[in-house]
């Protein structure tokens, strides 16, 4: 379950010495408050949604939202709101997501580099995940390696979901016999995407 919502944070307040309260006619009794709301997911602030504010009279406690303010209070409010900066931590979630994307790209790049290394210099015990046809996947286990060939034992099972291949990669699923594939052919299978992953 994803827990999300929004939270309002108080940014700043200012007393307006020159403005008179329209309700009780006291001068200098009005305080402006500005808030900024942010969306959060699992209580981590994701990004700000928008600023809003209200005025409150210290004297008569009259509270006004922006839409109900008269001039010159309205102008003072908009100026103050526009000049009030929100804290950068309200963007924390976006920053985390950006870092995860960069890290994910790096990790998958590293993985591709490793796989290429594995296909060029195969080792006994390597597992090749490969595509038989659409919605049909299986694995090959490297049993031995010679100068120009790799001898593999074919998994006796296949599975329809690529993401579940690891489920059939069990010792007892590989028969005793093995057959040879040339290293050139193996590289071709990897380049063409027939071999989709290598585990060592
Ligand atoms: Zn008042």
């Amino acid at each position: 379950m994803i827990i999300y919502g929004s939270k309002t944070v108080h940014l700043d307040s200012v007393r307006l010495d020159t403005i008179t309260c329209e309700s009780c006619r006291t001068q200098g009794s009005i305080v402006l408050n500005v808030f900024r709301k942010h969306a959060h997911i699992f209580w981590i602030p994701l990004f700000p949604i928008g600023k809003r504010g209200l005025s409150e009279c210290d004297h008569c406690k009259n509270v006004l939202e922006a839409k109900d303010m008269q001039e010159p209070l309205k102008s003072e409010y908009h100026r103050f709101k526009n000049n009030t900066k929100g804290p950068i931590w309200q963007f924390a979630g976006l920053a985390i997501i950006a870092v995860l994307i960069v890290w994910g790209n790096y990790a998958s790049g590293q993985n591709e580099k490793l796989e290429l290394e594995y296909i060029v210099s195969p080792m006994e015990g390597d597992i090749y995940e490969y595509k038989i046809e659409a919605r049909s996947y299986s694995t090959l286990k490297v049993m031995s390696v010679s100068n120009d060939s790799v001898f593999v034992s074919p998994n006796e099972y296949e599975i329809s979901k690529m993401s579940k291949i690891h489920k059939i990669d069990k010792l007892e699923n590989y028969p005793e016999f093995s057959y040879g594939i040339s290293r050139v052919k193996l590289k071709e299978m990897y380049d063409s995407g027939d071999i989709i992953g290598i585990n060592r």
Side-chain angles (χ1 to χ4, degrees), residues 21-26 29-30 57-62:
C21 172
E22 65 181 72
S23 167
C24 70
R25 315 309 306 174
T26 308
S29 63
I30 289 187
C57 173
D58 266 356
H59 190 250
C60 71
K61 304 298 174 197
N62 188 39

Side-chain angles (χ1 to χ4, degrees), residues 33 67 79 179 181:
N33 301 288
K67 62 175 167 46
R79 183 167 355 146
Y179 61 89
I181 304 175

